[in-house]
Structures are given as structure tokens and as C-alpha cells.
């Protein structure tokens, strides 16, 4: 598929001067038009709020949803842009791409998500408009999170145009699977273990599978970290870790729902840190810790507690979930990532399988079990109804049945991730999107003007393999000359 | 003006051992005395709150303004200290000065701002005291933002004493123009497009114009970024970008006002990112992205939506504002900054013209148009009055008249920026404040004890140009010796 | 004390492959069991909240403590993980250890703190369970802060196993002294000047005293900063500085209490910055600023205003406290730290004496004086009772008596810090915890897999001093060979 002539000419054109601006302008103009047609403020963000309050007997502005959700929203926002962005800066020469392209695709994705999710969830049928408020902003950030997870699998190997396409389709798929899981199946998924992490993880892995690069070892010298880039990545890790309680509680029920989700997530994450450190040390000959594990696996507990965070998981239940995920995720980095690269031909730059896909599936299962085990004794009569929204068409559901639907939701997420990823991967494989040659992967110099430091690594010129190899030797010798 | 003898002796004394401590101590003692005389807690921060609640029939502590504004306050606080501070770390050897002096002047500025703004806005005439609460803290941060914007224009070229003077006068000017614009003219400016960004931008540009250095190219080797310093700068960019919705909504009306301002800013910024990336790629021969644009122009939409954020700008209106600003700001970096340096002799280190001055003016114009176009149909009867505060002496204003006053406010901001900047620039030009010689600009070694890394760049000794030039050669050869 | 044979064999085994995992797993499993037995959600985080509201006539979810405290909680959380973690990254080759071990011990500490503090403060005697909510999470973070302060004194000189032990005992001691100070003595300590900073400071100093290393200068080449590591440390400094108002106000009374504590802290910190810059410049021959002071002493005002932050300290009182602490803390770095290292044999890597211990004591004294000076005229009848909780068994206390008890609390904190530190230090001195040899201190390569940069500093092999010294020469020459 577009690979046929790689042997002869590796003449990859990575100049995006026309392609990137064209895509960005056309899409942004489309956004403006669609927003103009469809999107308005909801009643809590509209100047008519003052009348709305009177009609609904609301005595205080503090009842505006803004005050219940805005602090969590800002935390989630930090996770999306600083958290995901800096987590991916670990590569020695791909920090610009990590944080910069993350910025680009997230900024596009949240706009498209407001539309896609709006059509499914916030459409006001009286006037055909989508009415948005702070909860929509959070959901848009959530939706984008799925795509940024997928970015982790292909980090350094795709062009920003490919990323924008991946986000366009990813957000679209997300909105559909979310609607099916949350509305049709009526599964609960507060922190998005299924909807966000499982979907995003398998989406990214499937795309990466289709885009498999057999000669990726040509850029091996760049597929590693440097001392400072590992510290930068810890900025991302920590902001994700610290604000994850806000992520999982951002759109849960006011009051006890948000409160409980925050506590559960706080505990699961604390537990994960200990088992991650333990496993990282245990599986290295000299007992040394590996930054890859500390940067990533410490977050797995937050993923896995996503679905059940709003349930009565109990504090020790949260610890147990975190305990297991720290172990499994670290083992994933040690054993599964090399395995799936060698055997399944899936190159997963950031190890999203271990941080998102697998913990997401665990989260879905934990959610199903916890839901099935719910009882009126534990939740209280009203509490049970509130927590699971056993109202309207779902008022006859029992916890046990709900557990089954939760499991069904997980399957939908996996199916959309795998199926969607393969389809989108095939689109991205078209040789027109400006992706880098194998020997130039993980190199910021392809898409960025990079300041000339001593460490600067010039991109390999791209004629054909023969010339290229000669050139690589030359540039390496130049390099040593410069340093001596 | 103090330049006459530069040819003969470049004997600039940058030792601040007496000057910096003297200024800092005297000013801080003055602050303590003035705070002692004037500043007290307001009724919501005073232990009499418990009685205040009874008198005013307030049933819940959640009605304390603290809970409406504190989360936004903290976000703004992060923007001031981490946002502005790290945004300026992009220079390869001026990160200490960027983040350190930003810290110093902001910490002084917020104290002086509490007094200056307090006299104008929060004076309790019954006892002659300024009563402060969380809103005053936010406003002090806002006021300081204006001065930090100005710092961007002179980054690397002034001493910390000059910066403190610039802040002292800048805060004073700010408080006066703010009083004229918001109170006398009664223009609205929630996010400070005019009051903060336009004023701060032109203030800094004017100061830089007066302080023009014709031989600045002598430190050209330092006026560029390094790979890591560009990543540090992205920390600043992202925290500014993420928390800008809090900035623009921090002091708007409780309820729908804050809610709407946050949404508008979120959207404008998202849109700006796409057009910034597009323009950055479009205007480079190979289509590569330039970190300068990504770090700065992506924020222009937040500036430009400042005034109108609390109006019914509509979501697509916000997108349009962001769309245009991403384009114009990036073009500014490509064409206008070189132009004003060459033709107008304004050296603008961070390009504040493109990030603050120009988008601020756009924001003022957008605000004027949006205000003039307001109607009871869109805002509702009460909503219109609430949003524009058409009460008291302003109860007869119509939206159209308000639009005119908004435009007048913009003119006041420009006038104060330019006029104040020229005056303050003349004071700063006195040769007693310890500014660095041309060849030592953008070098942390002048004012900081810098650890001896390999990259360390020793300051050029300062006798006269002849000796200096010799010395520069020597230090360069030393340098290569060390490395070989 | 285990030092006897150092001369002959320096055969320190720093391989933690069994020890670290064993400790982590055993402790985490213990946590799970103890949480299972003891810890449940409190009524505001439980699904029974819906019924609780009815019983207590609560009409709005906004009365849930979550909304009063969660934004502050998240700020505190950032201080613990990013603030403390990055503040310690200043060493040129110990950034992994700084931010990584900080992460590990904090994650363990908060779990243990929930138990220890829970038994003392949140035990529900009806069912023997600890009921937790957001305030417990904040208090757990606070408790851990004490241990992280202590980490600062021994940074780079201990193994992660020692740190875990230090945290286990530190949290235990903390919970006891906190109970004595806050409950038995009934001293007030909103921001923990005594309970957190004084205790933590002296705890760390005492541990470091016991663990004194006479030959630490063997790793002197690593006990310094690099340009980039100083900038990373500023990330920590600024997040601590910015969020300190949240720290000091996080668990104060709803309403005016939180509001006032935030204002006081904001002001004290602003004032500290100016005097820190002044002193740093004044005491260097060329008037240059020292990053060590800017990174640390600028925070001293936040420590010292901790106890009195919720009192009617007045805004200028806060400025005065900050003013003095900036001076004293900077003088501490210049004079006291070298003194206590030389004379008292206390090696204090981060200078916690100047940032926490001394300002903490000042804070305790300020608190005592402010409390003793409280009056009904200033506080109001009810305000005085509310602020000092003069209710129940303490309803006959006068402010003057309260002042005495505040001073008593301070003594308890010092006693627990010093005594506990010596005991724990003796345990840590056992030669079984995998601490590094003197020549390998401050070196990440001992406990971490470090990417091979140019700067990479291999650990010194550890046979005996003779061989070691030869080896050190070799590795140094290897080094230069690699670079030439």
C-alpha cells in the first residue's frame, strides 16, 4: 500500500508548506461556519441567566454549573495540554513535536468535539441549536484526550497533517461510540476508562499497526531520551497524576459524586506509584529504576479507576485497583511492548498499550463488577438510583443487569478503537500526507526550525537509500569534527 | 542622552550591590508604612463576616466572593509568575533573568498595585481605608501583567533596577488609565484588551524606543534560543493559554458573566492555534514551523477577546476573532517586528507588538463593535443592563453610545502607553541604573552567579571597545580550547 | 555506629533489587488491609449524601465541603508533587532522584497519613471506622509535606528505602505531635508553621546530623547546579510560591477564614521576594544574585505566616513578617548553613534550616504574639470565638492564655522534630538500607538507569578507597577521551 517503490526512491516530501496551511485554514473556516449555524450559549452562560434564575427559583449564582465544574475543567485542561504534551517530550530530539503537535491537534479537536458531541448530547430540539456550557468544554477536552492517547502510539512517525486527520476521524468515532455506550447502552463511565482510554488506546495501536515501519531502526539513535528530556517528561507525568482526580470527577454528579470520584482516584494513583517503583526495580538486574516506568505506569491506576470512580468502590477497593495496575502496566513496558512490536508488528512509541489500553480494559471490567455488586444496603435507595441513573427508560434496571451493560460498553469501545484505527490507518498510509522517512523519525528538524545547539541532529537528506547512507556517514563525521 | 562618551569608554558599571538592595529595601519599607496607614481586610475577609452575614441575610458561606473568584485568581497568579516568567525563558542564556526578574517585579508590583488601585477603586470613605479582598488580588495581578508585557520588549537589555522603576511608574500609570477608562468613561474591559494589553504593549514599545541600542548586534550570538530553552518557554506558553479563560472571566459578573467569558476565551484561543500553525508553515520556504510563532501568536486570540469576552460575542464570533489574530500576530512576527526595528528603531525582544499591542487594539475594536451591536433582543432587558452596568449615572446609555465610549477607552489606553512609555524611557536612560553594555545584553552572567556548565558564556569585560574586542576574541578562543 | 570499617572496605551495596520491591509491596499490602478494616467515605462523599442533605436541611450541593476545599486541595497537591519535587531538581545530576523519590515517598506517605491522622481525628466511634473526605486528603498532603521537607536535608545522600522509612516514621511522629498541638494543647496552626515546617525542618536536620558524612567532599563535583537544572528548580519554586495562599487557607474556616488566610499569605510572600533579592545582591562582592536564594528564601514568608494566616494579622503585619523572613532566610543560606555544617556537623543539602526550620519557628512566635494580642474590639465577639474555637472545653480561654498555648505548641513541634529525627536517624544508619558511598552521593546513576548524554557521570565503582581512587582517575580520563 504505497510501499512498493520504497526500495528505489526514498524521496519522501516532508515539506508541508501547502498541505498544513490548507488543512488548517479549510478546517478552521468550516468550524466557524458550523459554529455559526449550530452553537449557542446554554442558559447558564447566556445573559438570560438572570431571568432563568427567577423562573427556576434559583436564589444564588453559586448554583450555576460553572462553579461546580470550572476548577475541575481547568485541571483537565492542564492535563490535555501540559500533561499529554510534556509526557511525550521524553525523546531527546522530539520535544517540539511532542508538545507542539499535541497543542495543534488538541486545539482543533476540542472545536470539532464541541460539534460532534453537541449533536449527540446537547442539541436543543426547539431551535436546532447546540447549547454549550462548561460541561461541554470538559467533554470536548475528554474527547480530545482519546486522540492524544492515540498520538502516543505514533509519536515521531507521522506528520502534523496525519495527526490532524487522525484527530478529525478520532473525534468523530469517539462521539459515536460515546453516544452508543453512555446513551443507548446506558453504561456509566465517569472517568472514561472505556470511552476514552480503551477506545483511544486501541485506536492508536491499530493506526500504528497499519503504519508499521519495518526499517524504523534506522532512526534508533533518536528513539531514546536525554537527561533533561526525561525531566521535562516528568512535568507531564506529575500534572497528569495530580489532576487525575479532577479528570475522573469532572462530570460526575454534583455533591457526593464528585467528592467520591476524587477520593477514589487519589487513592488508586497513590497505590500505583508504589507498585510501579517496586516492579521497575525488581526487573532490572542491578535494581535500578527506569524512567519510562515512572513516567507512565504510575498513571495506570487513574485510568483503571475511571469507570468505577463514582461508584461505592470503597477506599481499599481503589487501592487494590491501583496496586494491580502498577504491576501490570510496568510488566507491560518490560514484556508486552517488545512482544507486540516483534510479533504483532505494532510500534508503540509511548507504550500506550500499557498506560491506556490495558488499564482501560481493566477499568471497564472493574466498573462492570462494581456495578453488578451494587446494592441498596450500600448505596441507599435513592443513592442507587442517583448513581446509576435508573430513571426513565432505565428505571427497571437492576445492578446486575447494569453490570452486563457495562461489559457491553467495554466491547463497543474496543470494537470502535480497533475497527476505526484500521480504517483511519489506511487513509493515513496514502503517501500524500508528508510523513517522515524511516531514518528521519523522531527528529524535530523535519518539521521545525530548530536552533543550532551542539546537540543538533540534522535530518538525513532523502534521495535514495544508497546516497542516504553515504550521507549519514558524512553527517556523522562532520559531527565529530565539530566536536573535536 | 548619556550616550556621548560611549565611543571612548564603555565602562558600564553593572554592579548592583548597593543600588538593587537600596531600592528594594526602601520601597518595601514604604509599602509596609503605606499598607499600615491604608489597607485593611474587606468585610468578606474580616472576622466580622459572621455578623455581616446576619445583617445581610446571607445564609451560606458559599456566597463569600472568595468562592466565586479564588480558583480563577490562582489561575491568573500562575499566568503572571509561571506564564509570563517562562514564556521569556526562550533565550539561550537569559532564563535566570527572564523568570527571576519577572518574579521580582511582579512581587513588587502587586503590592504597589493594591495601593494605587485601592485608592481609586476600594477606598472606604467612612474611615479612609482601602478594603481588600480576593478581587483586589486579581486586579493587582492584572495591573502587574501590564508591566510584565512591557518587560517583554526590553528583555535582556535592562537591569533589574530599571525594571523596578518601570514597574513603579507602570503600575501608577495603569491605575490612572484604568480609572479613566473603567470609571469615568465607563467602558467595559473584562479581560483587559485595552487596559492591560494595549497599554502594556505600547508602554513597553515606547520605553524600548527611547532605550534604542544601535549596536545591539554585538550580543547577537546570545539573542537566540536553544533547544531546551524553547521547551521551557512552552511551559510559559501553555500555562498562559490554558488559564486565559480564567484571566478573562476572573472579575466578570458572577454567574453567566464568568461562564460566558470563559467559553468565549476558550474558543478564541483554540481557533488562534490553527491559524498560527498555518501561517508559520506557509511563510517558511520549507514549510517548517517556527517556535517563536507557536510560543507567542497562539495566545493572541486570548488578548483580542478580552474586552468582548463577557458580551454576547457568540461562540462563532469568538472563533472569528481568534482566526484573524492568529494570522495577524504571526505576520507581525514575520514582517512587522523586523520593520519596526529597522525603520522605527524599536527593538522588541519578545515581539510584544504582535502578541499584546496589536491584538489588544483589535480587542478594543471588537469590544466597541460588539457593544454597539448589543440589543435587548439578544441580551434580554435585564441582561443588557447587567452586562453593561447601565445603572446610576449611566442608566441612559444605549449600546450604540457605549460602543463609542469603548472606542474612546481604547484611545486613552494607547495614549497612556505611548506617552507614559516615552517619559519613563527617558528616566531609565539616565546612566545610573546599571544597565548592561551592548555586548553583554541577553547574558545572565551580568546579574547572576551562573553555574559553570560547558555552555557557559562569560560576560565581556568592559573597559573600552578596543580592549573589549580583543578580549572577545580571547574568550572565544579559550572557549574552543576548553572544548577540544 | 556502623562506620568502623569504612577505611578498609567501602563495599556499599546499593543494589535495591530486593529491598525496594520488598518494602514497597509489603507496605502497600499493609495499606490495603488497614484501609479495608478502617477507612470509609464520610457522609459528604457517600451515596447517602442525598439523604444526609434532607436530614440536615441542606438545600444545595454547593454546601458540600468538596466545593469549599477542592480547588485549594488541588493547589496543595501541586505543591507537594511538583513544588517540592522540582524545587529539589537544582543539583546537576540528581533531578531523577529529586522528583522521582519525592513522588514515591509522597505517594506512600499520603496513604499512611490518612490512617494515622484518621485514627486521631476522623474516627467515627459508632462503628470504629475512619471517615474520609476532601479535608482528610488535604491533611494527608500536609502531613507528607513535613517528610518532604526533611528529605531536603538528606537529598542525594540516602537511598529510596531510607526515604520510605523516614516517611513511615515521620508521618507517625507527625500525627502524634499534630494531635498534641492541635487537640490537646488546642493551639491553632492553619498553615502549619509549627506542625509542618518546624517539625519537618528539625526532623530532617536531626536525621542529617546522625547521618553525618565526613568525607562528603568526595562528591563535591556533583553537589552543584547546572544552568538548566536551576531553571527546573524555578518551576518548583514558583508553584510553591503561587499556591502557598491555598496551602495556608486550605483547612481554615469557611468564609472569612479562608479568605483572610489567602490574603495574608499572598502579601507575606510578595514582601519576602523583595528582601531576598536585596540580601542576595548585597552579600555578593559584585552584587550578583544567587539562584539558591531566589529558589528558596523567597518562600520563607509563606512558612512564617502559616500559623497567623487565619488571625487578624492585618495586611501590613503580613508584609512585615515576609520582610523579616526574606532577610533572615537569605542570611541563613550565606552564614548559617556553612556554620552548622562545619561546627554542628549537619549537612543540609537544600538548606531546609533556612527555608523551613527557622521561618517555622518565627511563624510559631508570630502566631503566639498575634493570638495573645487578639481582642474583641478587633475580632468582634463571635469572630474571636470562631477564629480561636473558644468552645467546649476551651470556652474560658482568653487570647492571652491562648498565646501561651501557642508557644507551648511550638516547643512540642521542636521536641518531636529533634527527638524523632535522632531516633529515626539511628535506624537509618544501619548499613542495610543501600545508601550510596560518599563519592557517589548526588549521582542519579546509582539508583536510576540514566540515558547516555555527553554530560553523563558514571558512578564510582565501590571496592575500597584505594581502588576507587584509581578508578576515579580512569573514568575521568575516559571521559575526556570520549569528548575529544
Amino acid at each position: 500500500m504505497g510501499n512498493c517503490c520504497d526500495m528505489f526512491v526514498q524521496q519522501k516530501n516532508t515539506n508541508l508548506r501547502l498541505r498544513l496551511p490548507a488543512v488548517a485554514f479549510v478546517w478552521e473556516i468550516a468550524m466557524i461556519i458550523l459554529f455559526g449555524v449550530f452553537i449557542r450559549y446554554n442558559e447558564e452562560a447566556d445573559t438570560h441567566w438572570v431571568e432563568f434564575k427567577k423562573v427556576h427559583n434559583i436564589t444564588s449564582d453559586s448554583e450555576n454549573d460553572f462553579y461546580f465544574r470550572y476548577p475541575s475543567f481547568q485541571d483537565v485542561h492542564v492535563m490535555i495540554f501540559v500533561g499529554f504534551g510534556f509526557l511525550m517530550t521524553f525523546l531527546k530530539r522530539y520535544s517540539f513535536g511532542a508538545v507542539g503537535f499535541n497543542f495543534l491537534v488538541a486545539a482543533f479537536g476540542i472545536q470539532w468535539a464541541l460539534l460532534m458531541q453537541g449533536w449527540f448530547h446537547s442539541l436543543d430540539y426547539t431551535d436546532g441549536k447546540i447549547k454549550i456550557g462548561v460541561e461541554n468544554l470538559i467533554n470536548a477536552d475528554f474527547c480530545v484526550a482519546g486522540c492524544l492517547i492515540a498520538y502516543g502510539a505514533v509519536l515521531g512517525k507521522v506528520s502534523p497533517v496525519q495527526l490532524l486527520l487522525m484527530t478529525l476521524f478520532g473525534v468523530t468515532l469517539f462521539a459515536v461510540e460515546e453516544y452508543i455506550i453512555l446513551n443507548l447502552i446506558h453504561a456509566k463511565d465517569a472517568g472514561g476508562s472505556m470511552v476514552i482510554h480503551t477506545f483511544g488506546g486501541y485506536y492508536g495501536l491499530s493506526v500504528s499497526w497499519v503504519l508499521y515501519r519495518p526499517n524504523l531502526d534506522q532512526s534508533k539513535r533518536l528513539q531514546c531520551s536525554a537527561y533533561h528530556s526525561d525531566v521535562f517528561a516528568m512535568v507531564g507525568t506529575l500534572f497528569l497524576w495530580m489532576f487525575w482526580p479532577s479528570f475522573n470527577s469532572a462530570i460526575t454528579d454534583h455533591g457526593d459524586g464528585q467528592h467520591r470520584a476524587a477520593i477514589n482516584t487519589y487513592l488508586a494513583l497513590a497505590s500505583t506509584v508504589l507498585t510501579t517503583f517496586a516492579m521497575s526495580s525488581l526487573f532490572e538486574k542491578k535494581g535500578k529504576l527506569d524512567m519510562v516506568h515512572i513516567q507512565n505506569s504510575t498513571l495506570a491506576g487513574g485510568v483503571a479507576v475511571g469507570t468505577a470512580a463514582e461508584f461505592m468502590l470503597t477506599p481499599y477497593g481503589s487501592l487494590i485497583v491501583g496496586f494491580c495496575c502498577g504491576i501490570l502496566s510496568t510488566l507491560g513496558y518490560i514484556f508486552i511492548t517488545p512482544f507486540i512490536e516483534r510479533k504483532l508488528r505494532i510500534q508503540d512509541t509511548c507504550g500506550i498499550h500499557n498506560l491506556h489500553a490495558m488499564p482501560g480494559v481493566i477499568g471497564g471490567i472493574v466498573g462492570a463488577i462494581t456495578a453488578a455488586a451494587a446494592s441498596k444496603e450500600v448505596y441507599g435507595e435513592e443513592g442507587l438510583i442517583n448513581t446509576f441513573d435508573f430513571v426513565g427508560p432505565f428505571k427497571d434496571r437492576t445492578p446486575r443487569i447494569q453490570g452486563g451493560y457495562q461489559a457491553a460498553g467495554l466491547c463497543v469501545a474496543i470494537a470502535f478503537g480497533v475497527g476505526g484505527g484500521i480504517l483511519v490507518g489506511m487513509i493515513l498510509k496514502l503517501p500524500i500526507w508528508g510523513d517522515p522517512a524511516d531514518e528521519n523519525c523522531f527528529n524535530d528538524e523535519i518539521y521545525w526550525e530548530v536552533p543550532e545547539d551542539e546537540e543538533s541532529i540534522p535530518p538525513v537528506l532523502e534521495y535514495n537509500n544508497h546516497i542516504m547512507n553515504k550521507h549519514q556517514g558524512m553527517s556523522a563525521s562532520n559531527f565529530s569534527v565539530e566536536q573535536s
Side-chain angles (χ1 to χ4, degrees), chain A:
Chain A
M1 213 178 267
N3 255 342
C4 53
C5 43
D6 271 16
M7 296 274 199
F8 300 96
V9 267
Q10 185 83 21
Q11 207 154 2
K12 289 220 170 184
N13 180 1
T14 57
N15 187 330
L16 302 177
R17 193 174 178 189
L18 293 179
R19 284 172 283 189
L20 180 57
V23 170
F25 275 124
V26 169
W27 290 10
E28 190 56 50
I29 290 166
M31 287 301 117
I32 291 173
I33 294 167
L34 289 168
F35 270 60
V37 176
F38 286 106
I39 295 201
R40 299 291 179 272
Y41 308 116
N42 75 10
E43 66 280 351
E44 297 185 293
D46 191 286
T47 44
H48 292 86
W49 165 248
V50 59
E51 285 139 32
F52 183 86
K53 279 196 294 183
K54 280 181 201 158
V55 174
H56 291 76
N57 254 326
I58 296 167
T59 54
S60 165
D61 281 320
S62 66
E63 295 299 307
N64 193 306
D65 195 38
F66 182 78
Y67 301 103
F68 289 95
R69 307 223 181 267
Y70 190 71
S72 310
F73 158 65
Q74 275 294 3
D75 293 349
V76 171
H77 217 39
V78 171
M79 293 174 74
I80 299 300
F81 289 89
V82 162
F84 281 105
F86 272 85
L87 184 62
M88 295 192 292
T89 59
F90 72 100
L91 290 172
K92 66 193 295 184
R93 293 303 283 187
Y94 210 71
S95 300
F96 289 8
V99 79
F101 296 152
N102 183 80
F103 193 17
L104 173 65
V105 300
F108 166 69
I110 53 181
Q111 299 176 57
W112 180 229
L114 283 171
L115 284 162
M116 283 300 305
Q117 294 182 312
W119 283 314
F120 282 117
H121 297 287
S122 306
L123 201 58
D124 181 342
Y125 290 99
T126 60
D127 58 1
K129 304 294 184 195
I130 297 164
K131 302 290 171 69
I132 63 169
V134 65
E135 194 170 336
N136 298 72
L137 306 190
I138 298 171
N139 274 314
D141 274 20
F142 277 6
C143 181
V144 160
C147 298
L148 298 180
I149 290 165
Y151 179 24
V154 297
L155 179 73
K157 300 176 295 190
V158 292
S159 75
V161 175
Q162 284 176 306
L163 284 175
L164 282 168
L165 284 163
M166 220 170 119
T167 305
L168 177 77
F169 294 119
V171 167
T172 312
L173 288 162
F174 184 101
V176 176
E177 59 110 33
E178 184 190 42
Y179 179 72
I180 295 172
I181 294 172
L182 302 189
N183 293 49
L184 301 187
I185 294 178
H186 193 70
K188 302 288 288 178
D189 196 11
S193 296
M194 305 183 285
V195 171
I196 301 169
H197 298 284
T198 304
F199 165 74
Y202 285 106
Y203 180 58
L205 291 168
S206 303
V207 168
S208 191
W209 179 69
V210 178
L211 299 182
Y212 181 71
R213 287 168 177 268
N215 301 315
L216 190 59
D217 56 352
Q218 290 181 2
S219 54
K220 202 160 207 171
R221 76 200 184 288
L222 290 174
Q223 204 185 353
C224 55
S225 67
Y227 193 71
H228 286 304
S229 67
D230 267 329
V231 183
F232 275 122
M234 282 302 290
V235 173
T237 298
L238 288 176
F239 275 102
L240 287 170
W241 194 90
M242 296 180 303
F243 288 163
W244 215 293
S246 297
F247 192 92
N248 285 351
S249 69
I251 54 163
T252 50
D253 288 341
H254 292 178
D256 66 295
Q258 288 193 273
H259 205 149
R260 189 167 55 254
I263 294 172
N264 286 333
T265 311
Y266 175 95
L267 292 172
L269 285 164
S271 171
T272 306
V273 174
L274 266 87
T275 51
T276 299
F277 271 82
M279 296 303 284
S280 184
S281 175
L282 192 61
F283 280 84
E284 207 270 342
K285 215 178 51 185
K286 294 184 182 168
K288 291 190 185 180
L289 298 160
D290 189 331
M291 261 292 169
V292 171
H293 309 151
I294 309 308
Q295 282 159 9
N296 293 282
S297 296
T298 50
L299 300 168
V303 174
V305 88
T307 302
E310 62 179 329
F311 302 159
M312 293 290 279
L313 182 57
T314 72
Y316 68 91
S318 305
L319 290 184
I320 293 171
V321 173
F323 186 92
C324 300
C325 282
I327 296 172
L328 291 173
S329 177
T330 312
L331 289 176
Y333 278 97
I334 298 169
F335 298 113
I336 302 177
T337 297
F339 173 82
I340 64 174
E341 175 155 357
R342 232 175 23 246
K343 300 289 176 188
L344 307 185
R345 301 166 70 90
I346 298 175
Q347 291 155 330
D348 179 6
T349 311
C350 294
I352 64 164
H353 174 267
N354 315 305
L355 171 47
H356 296 285
M358 181 171 59
V361 171
I362 294 170
I365 295 168
V366 169
I369 295 169
T370 319
S375 68
K376 283 180 189 171
E377 287 72 51
V378 173
Y379 285 71
E381 186 100 26
E382 277 192 80
L384 191 65
I385 294 168
N386 279 352
T387 306
F388 293 98
D389 282 329
F390 287 158
V391 288
F394 308 104
K395 72 172 193 294
D396 296 328
R397 278 221 184 146
T398 64
R400 194 165 293 246
I401 294 172
Q402 178 68 22
Y405 280 107
Q406 294 283 140
L410 180 60
C411 298
V412 172
I414 295 172
F416 265 80
V418 174
I422 291 172
L423 283 173
V424 174
M426 284 161 65
I427 295 168
L428 298 188
K429 215 171 164 64
L430 297 175
I432 55 173
W433 309 121
D435 61 312
D438 290 340
E439 59 277 15
N440 284 330
C441 285
F442 314 115
N443 192 348
D444 268 335
E445 310 245 353
I446 304 300
Y447 302 118
W448 297 86
E449 295 194 51
V450 175
E452 289 179 29
D453 302 8
E454 301 141 53
E455 305 172 43
S456 178
I457 294 150
V460 177
L461 284 188
E462 288 157 3
Y463 294 113
N464 60 43
N465 278 329
H466 181 66
I467 294 182
M468 184 206 69
N469 285 338
K470 269 176 65 177
H471 208 87
Q472 196 168 25
M474 269 175 58
S475 81
S477 66
N478 280 342
F479 212 71
S480 51
V481 167
E482 269 164 43
Q483 291 222 331
S484 66

